[in-house]
Structure formats: C-alpha cells, structure tokens
C-alpha cells in the first residue's frame, strides 16, 4: 500500500499544485520532498527563507487544505514536525512497533513480558511457535500482537537473563521438542548449587563504592578515613 | 604487564608480610621488570645488604626467580644474574587458607599440616619438615615414626601434585632474537605467539616432570640439567633426599579451583547432568594436561568419558546417548576421530561476562544491562538506535545510558560519518561495542583496587579497636558498650574477610584462569 502511494506522488502533486499560491507550493514541495521523514518548522524556515508571518500563514493554509499533517517524533517531542499527508511516518520518526505517540509503550511491553515469562516458567521449556499456538488458542492477545513482536519480547527476556535460549537435546524437559530446535527455558528453574555464585562482586564494599576512583591510601578519600562503611556498605551488604 | 592497582595491591601484601624494605625491592622489580643486583641497589637506593636480604626472602617465598640471559650482544650487564618478580605468586599469598582447605578435603589433616609449613616458610627440605613435626609431637613418639609419617604425607602431596621440587635456583635463557632466528626456518603454521620473559624463565626453571614430583628420583636435585642415575648407595641417597627443597605447587591448586568454577558455572547455566559430564571430562584427563590456562580440554573418547561419568552418583543413571546429548549441548559436536573436547575458554569467558554484566546491572540499571548484554552478544559495532530497538529501551534514554557506560570504560564508541539518503547532507552515527579483552583488563584493575582498599580498611578496623581484642572475654560480656563495640568489630571483620575471599575468586577468574 505504502509503495503504491509513493509511486504516484508526481501525479498527485500536479493535481493539487494549481490551487496553491507560490509560497504554499514552495513550502509544500519542501515538506513533500522529505517523504516519510518529515521536517521540523525550524528547518523549513531556514530552507524556504520566507518571512515569519508569511511562513506561519502558509503553514496554516496547507494544514487547512489537509495537504500536510503534524507528526510527533521520538527524537524531539517538543518540536513541531510536519509531513505530507500521503506518507506514513517512518520508523525513525515514530520509533517503530513499540512506540505510541512518540513514547515507548513500557506498560504494554511489561505486560507482554509478563505473559511470556509466566508461560515459559509453567511449561519449563517452550519454542516460539509453541507459545504462539497457545496464545492463539486461548485468545491471549488481540490481533495487534504480531509474531515478530512476540519474538522481540522473547529476545528481551533473554537479554534480561530471565530466560535462556537453548537447543533441545530431546531429553527431560525437552522430550516433546525435536532435537536441535531452538527453545526458551526459564532461568529461575535452574538451581544454583555449590558455593560459587556469580555476580557477587558488585555488592562488595569498595567495589560497589562510587567513590573508589578517588579513594586510595594517599587520595582525597582514604580507606582509613572512609565513613561509608558504617553508613551504607555494611547495611547494604548484610541485607543481601 | 601488571596493571597499576595490581602492583599496588601486591606491594601492600608484601609490606604486610615482610615489611617495607622487602616491599620496596619488590615494587621496583614490579615496576621496572627484571633487574640485576646493581641496578636494584641503584633504583631502590637501599644498601647492598638490604637488597640482598630482601631478595633472599622473596626467593625463599617463591616470589622472585633468578636467571641469566645469554645473548648475542656482548653487553656485560646482560650476562649478569637478573631477578624476576613473580607477581602471580605474590597474589597467591592471601589464598593460602583456600589451599589448605583443599588439601584437608582431598587428603587429610596430616597432609594439611605439612602443607601449612611449606606455605609458611616458602621452601623446606624433608629434614626441616621432620624437625618441625618433631617439635610439635609428644615426647613418647619415636622420632623415626615422626619422620616416616612426614615422609609419607609428603609423598601423598607429591602424588596429588600439590607439592613440587623447587625450581633451579638460577636458570639460563637464550636471548629472544636468537630463538626467533632459529624459528625462522619453520613454517608459519607452527609459529606460536612469542612467550614473555616471565614464561620462558618459569618454564626453564621447572624441573622435568619425572623428577618434579618424585621424592626418590635421584638427580642433580635443584638443577635443570638432568644427570644420569648413578649407582649411589642407599645411605647417600637418603641424605640427598633430605636435602631436596620442596615448595607448594600453586598451579595444581589453581587448576583445582578452575575446575570447580567450570563445573559450577555449567551447573548454574545448564543442570546437574551437564556438570557431571564436564567434571568427568576434567577428571579423566587430569593428568594429561596440567596447565591452568588451556583453551580446550584434552580430547577424550566417548567410551572413556562414559566410564568416568558412571563412576559418579549423578552419572550412574545416565545412558551413553544422554552423555552424547550433553556434549552437543555443551557445544562439543565437532569430534576429532571420535574424541570429544570441551571448549573451556568459552566457559571461562561466559563466567567473566556474567560477572561484568552483574556489575553493569547493579551500577547502571536494567536497561543498561540489556543493552550491554546485547552488545556483548553482537561482538561488533552497533548504532545507538539499533541497540535501543533490539533491547526495547526508550530511544531517548539509550544514548544517556550508553554514554555513562562509555565514561566508565565499559563500552567503546566510534563516530561514523554517513551521508543521508537522497541528500548531500552528512550525519554522524555513534557506533558502540564491547571490547572484551580491554574491558576485562579494566575490571580486573578495579578489582585489585577494591581488594587493596578492603584489606587496608580491614587492617585499620583491627588497629582502631586493638585494645578491645586484648580485653578478657568476661569483661566484655559485663559491659554493654564494650560488647557492642566488640560485636561491631566482629561483624565488620567477618564482612570484610568474606568480601575479600569473594573478590579473590573473581580475581582468579579474570587473571589466572
Ligand atoms: S574505603 Fe570507603 S570510600 Fe574508599 S572505596 Fe571503600 S567504601 Fe569507598
């Protein structure tokens, strides 16, 4: 659909241009040339060199003729950004799939993550298709959630280290999944035994201290004069 | 090259154990590299006597190795004895309790006692060990019985490779250029990265395996040149045996700790079964490759591996197919003539990554953590927007977090000028990457710094409340403020002590494994 729209601009523009004043057509052509990226008013003023009052009037006119529209950009929500009516804002402008009104839809993401994570922890292990099938069957999502979106969510869960991506070996939890298939497994199901635990270094006093770069026996702060031990380190570490 | 905080930490340890003068000699060697006695005296501005004695102490405790470098040039100073400081061995000093614990677990408390003596005194002959044991033994005990017991324990320690013959007092290595010239004829395929002087000196000093762990092998004991077995009588042999110097073989302990880390890491990431397979693999090939830093485990045939697996409680119920499946999961699908090998380096790298990532999570939050993990996985430069998209981080937040990570040396960034499609404008893209080797070095340096501060703080706490340690117990219980103070000191020492141990595990992961 988009492509169709893009292939016929010439014709469209010719159709509308006669009704435009000279200034309007200068401004419109500029906005149109920016396609699905659109343009900021500041840039328009600079590039068209129109006096401010004329510029404002022309912009208003084009808006009232429904030839251009205002769009929100994720880069700069405060700035007024315009685009020719026939284009859909590109990913660079909207931020992509997960953005609504130029803002990352964190609530939606969190909700999706939660569903995916709960499903995997219940199943112990699941493939992407397995999850999609289940969600379809149970009508978990409305049609707006695409398989790519679910894949994005799984990937972030992997990056969060909440789940891990593994290949099935056909045994145990993997029994129902063909060998070699990529699947997702819950991290919390894996028990950490033995004494060695990871990620404890960050909680170690001094290592966790924001002042460590100034702190040395002859530095601005010194371990002998340090007051943080009593204040927060000991507390923080003991609480863990 | 040892990092700045690494040097400071090592010097701190030596100051604590042997005083300021020895520490000064040690620091000079750490900063300047190998030096002759004359140069050491000049750099340290200490008297010859002081420097000599310090060197003797450091050699006795296996922190310095003497060597002669024979070279093509006729420069006088080059053929003189030089002294090389062994940084790793200094860092092992706080680990002594860990080593003793291992011997206690794997062997028994008598062996632990022998080991303790060696750790305390650095190097000992059998005679000295027997003398030490006799001093502690009760009068009725026959001295011959004590001697036999010590000898037996030493044998056990040697069998387990926890103790070794001391290296040659002084070794000769050949100037590097000459080696390179000789190597020139060989094909490129055989070319290995040039070894550092440290590696060459250490390798040259270690006696051949046959005598390194043998109590009875009769050789020119502390020399690297092997002598032919001569027909010497038993008494003479015994006498010789009593004069051989022994020391702790740190390498074996580190290997033990490395194996433990590998197994536990696999257990945490995968499951008990996978850990059993890794353990069996390491156990079965234990005596084939004894080095700590190896990339792959020694190739092992499936049958042999299976025999080892079923020896363990966990492995008893495993089938051959199951073991094979675990091997595939561990990424050892590529078999060399039906033999399997595990990529140990990969597991070590994963463990290091986990550690660094946990630091990022704690310091910079979950969004930064996801971006950092994404970049670690990508192993290449990625533009800001792409990172934000793949990690579902708000595109306006992403640059801020990335810049914080950059400022603290956790990320590497390069600017890229690209032209905008459809116009002749140029725009600048910021490209980000995790530079693992550099980052690991940096984190290691941070760890040394923290270890130094922690241990200084510990000393300070103890010094500050020294008087309370001398107050009799009943007096402490009688007075509430004293009790409170005592409790606090106890808590702080416990916390700092356990923190140091944990930090040391991390130091080994980044430096030794
Ligand atoms: S001694 Fe105190 S100020 Fe210094 S690094 Fe440690 S906690 Fe921070």
């Amino acid at each position: 659909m988009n492509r169709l729209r893009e292939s016929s601009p010439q014709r469209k523009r010719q159709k509308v241009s006669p009704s435009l004043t000279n200034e309007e057509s200068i401004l419109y052509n500029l906005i149109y040339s920016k396609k699905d990226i659109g343009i900021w008013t500041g840039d328009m003023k600079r590039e068209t060199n129109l006096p401010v009052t004329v510029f404002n009037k022309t912009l208003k006119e084009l808006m009232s003729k429904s030839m251009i529209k205002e769009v929100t950009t994720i880069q700069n929500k405060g700035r007024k950004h315009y685009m020719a009516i026939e284009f859909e804002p590109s990913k660079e402008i909207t931020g992509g799939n997960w953005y609504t009104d130029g803002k990352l839809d964190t609530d939606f993401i969190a909700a999706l993550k939660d569903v995916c994570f709960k499903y995997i922890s219940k199943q112990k292990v699941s493939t992407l298709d397995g999850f999609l099938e289940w969600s379809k069957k149970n009508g978990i999502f409305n049609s707006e959630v695409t398989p790519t979106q679910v894949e994005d969510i799984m990937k972030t869960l992997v990056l969060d280290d909440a789940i891990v991506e593994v290949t099935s070996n056909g045994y145990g939890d993997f029994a129902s999944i063909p060998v070699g298939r990529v699947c997702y497994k819950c991290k919390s199901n894996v028990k950490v035994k033995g004494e060695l635990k990871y990620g404890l270094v960050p909680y170690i006093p001094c290592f966790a201290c924001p002042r460590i770069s100034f702190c040395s026996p002859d530095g601005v702060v010194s371990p002998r004069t340090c007051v943080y031990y009593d204040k927060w380190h000991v507390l923080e570490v003991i609480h863990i | 090259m040892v990092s700045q905080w690494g040097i400071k930490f090592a010097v701190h340890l030596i100051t604590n154990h042997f005083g300021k003068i020895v520490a000064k000699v040690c620091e000079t060697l750490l900063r300047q590299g190998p030096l002759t006695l004359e140069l050491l005296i000049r750099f340290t501005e200490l008297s010859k006597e002081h420097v000599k004695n310090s060197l003797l102490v450091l050699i006795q405790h296996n922190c310095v190795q003497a060597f002669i470098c024979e070279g093509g040039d006729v420069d006088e100073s080059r053929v003189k004895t030089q002294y090389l400081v062994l940084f790793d061995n200094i860092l092992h000093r706080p680990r002594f309790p860990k080593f003793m614990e291992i011997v206690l677990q794997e062997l028994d408390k008598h062996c632990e006692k022998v080991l303790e003596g060696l750790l305390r005194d650095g190097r000992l002959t059998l005679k000295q060990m027997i003398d030490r044991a006799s001093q502690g033994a009760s009068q009725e005990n026959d001295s011959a019985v004590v001697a036999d017991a010590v000898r037996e324990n030493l044998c056990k320690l040697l069998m387990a490779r926890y103790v070794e013959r001391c290296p040659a007092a002084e070794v000769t290595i050949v100037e590097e250029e000459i080696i390179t010239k000789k190597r020139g004829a060989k094909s490129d395929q055989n070319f290995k990265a040039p070894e550092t002087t440290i590696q060459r000196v250490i390798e040259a000093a270690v006696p051949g395996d046959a005598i390194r762990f043998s109590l009875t092998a009769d050789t020119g004991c502390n020399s690297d040149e092997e002598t032919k077995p001569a027909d010497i009588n038993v008494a003479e042999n015994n006498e010789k045996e009593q004069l051989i110097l022994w020391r702790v073989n740190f390498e074996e302990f580190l290997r033990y700790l490395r194996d433990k880390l590998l197994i536990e890491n696999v257990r945490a990431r995968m499951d008990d079964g996978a850990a059993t397979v890794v353990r069996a693999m390491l156990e079965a090939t234990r005596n084939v490759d004894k080095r700590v830093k190896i990339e792959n485990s020694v190739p092992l045939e499936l049958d042999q591996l299976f025999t080892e697996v079923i020896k363990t409680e966990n492995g008893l119920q495993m089938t051959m197919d199951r073991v094979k499946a675990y091997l595939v999961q561990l990424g050892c699908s590529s078999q060399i003539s039906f033999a399997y090998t595990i990529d140990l380096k990969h597991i070590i790298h994963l463990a290091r990554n986990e550690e660094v990532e946990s630091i990022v999570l704690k310091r910079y939050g979950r969004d930064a953590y996801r971006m950092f993990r994404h970049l670690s996985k990508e192993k290449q430069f990625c533009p800001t927007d792409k990172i934000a998209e793949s990690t579902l981080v708000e595109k306006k937040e992403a640059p801020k977090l990335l810049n914080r990570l950059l400022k603290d040396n956790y990320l590497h960034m390069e600017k890229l000028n690209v032209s905008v499609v459809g116009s002749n404008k140029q725009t600048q893209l910021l490209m980000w990457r995790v530079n693992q080797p550099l980052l690991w070095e940096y984190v290691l340096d941070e760890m040394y710094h923290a270890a130094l501060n922690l241990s200084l703080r510990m000393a300070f706490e103890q010094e500050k409340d020294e008087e309370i340690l001398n107050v009799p117990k009943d007096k402490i219980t009688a007075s509430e403020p004293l009790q409170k103070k005592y409790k606090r000191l106890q808590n702080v020492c416990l916390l700092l002590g356990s923190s140091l141990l944990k930090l040391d595990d991390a130091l080994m992961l980044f430096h030794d494994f």
Side-chain angles (χ1 to χ4, degrees), chain A residues 205-207 209-216 221-229 232-233, chain B residues 449-450 453-454 457:
Chain A
C206 291
F207 194 86
C209 174
R211 265 156 246 260
I212 186 160
S213 45
F214 318 107
C215 183
S216 65
V221 195
S222 129
R224 293 184 74 90
T225 57
C226 161
V227 290
Y228 303 101
Y229 269 94
W232 60 273
H233 271 321
Chain B
H449 189 171
N453 282 7
L454 271 174
R457 182 68 191 188

Side-chain angles (χ1 to χ4, degrees), chain B residues 92 99 102 159-162 212-213 249-263 281-294 296-298 344 348 508 512-513:
Chain B
H92 292 330
F99 299 163
I102 293 173
M159 280 276 285
R161 309 171 69 97
Y162 289 136
R212 187 172 167 197
F213 301 104
N249 177 22
F250 295 132
E251 204 182 23
E252 189 59 30
F253 285 105
L254 280 225
R255 204 160 74 111
Y256 180 97
L257 292 169
R258 180 206 64 185
D259 288 357
K260 195 167 148 191
L261 179 130
L262 288 167
I263 296 164
M281 184 75 117
L282 293 168
E283 198 58 44
T285 55
R286 200 179 136 96
N287 290 325
V288 189
D289 196 338
K290 299 128 203 148
R291 289 166 303 154
V292 182
K293 280 193 181 193
I294 50 171
N296 292 303
S297 66
V298 178
L344 303 181
I348 294 291
M508 283 193 281
D512 300 284
F513 301 159

